[in-house]
Amino acid sequence: MSASKTTTDHETIRQWVEARDGRPSRVKSAGGNGGLLRIDFGEPEQNFEEIGWDEFFRIFDDNKLAFLHQEETEDGRESRFNKFINRS
């Protein structure tokens, strides 16, 4: 598996997501204030709500998250692997 990187830099995250045609999103909740962040690719996921970058990064920072991501797959293709983890 190709090496993963971790960052908290907003611009790095935005560039990675936009280079893969992703959208900042969160999991929909009954109350409308869901805080589980996701990156949505391709057709919009029914359970995700697209949000703006300002809201995305507010939730990201408020929850002290870091962005774990992979640039390429083992065979050299562009990777979409990403995960939100707690900051160390």
Side-chain angles (χ1 to χ4, degrees):
M1 182 170 179
S2 183
S4 296
K5 300 177 184 178
T6 303
T7 187
T8 59
D9 181 72
H10 292 188
E11 191 56 31
T12 299
I13 296 166
R14 183 191 314 246
Q15 288 175 358
W16 186 93
V17 171
E18 290 177 350
R20 290 156 177 78
D21 295 323
R23 296 174 304 284
S25 304
R26 66 180 169 192
V27 176
K28 287 182 184 178
S29 69
N33 294 322
L36 292 175
L37 295 179
R38 296 290 185 264
I39 303 300
D40 203 3
F41 299 99
E43 288 292 316
E45 285 283 334
Q46 186 175 7
N47 295 332
F48 293 172
E49 171 187 19
E50 187 172 347
I51 58 176
W53 283 113
D54 289 341
E55 178 72 2
F56 179 89
F57 287 122
R58 183 192 63 75
I59 295 168
F60 182 81
D61 289 335
D62 286 353
N63 288 286
K64 296 178 176 46
L65 297 174
F67 185 67
L68 177 70
H69 63 288
Q70 183 182 49
E71 293 295 333
E72 295 181 342
T73 61
E74 190 172 298
D75 63 3
R77 291 184 296 161
E78 184 175 75
S79 177
R80 289 185 174 176
F81 171 78
N82 70 91
K83 185 176 182 180
F84 296 97
I85 60 173
N86 291 323
R87 293 180 190 173
S88 300

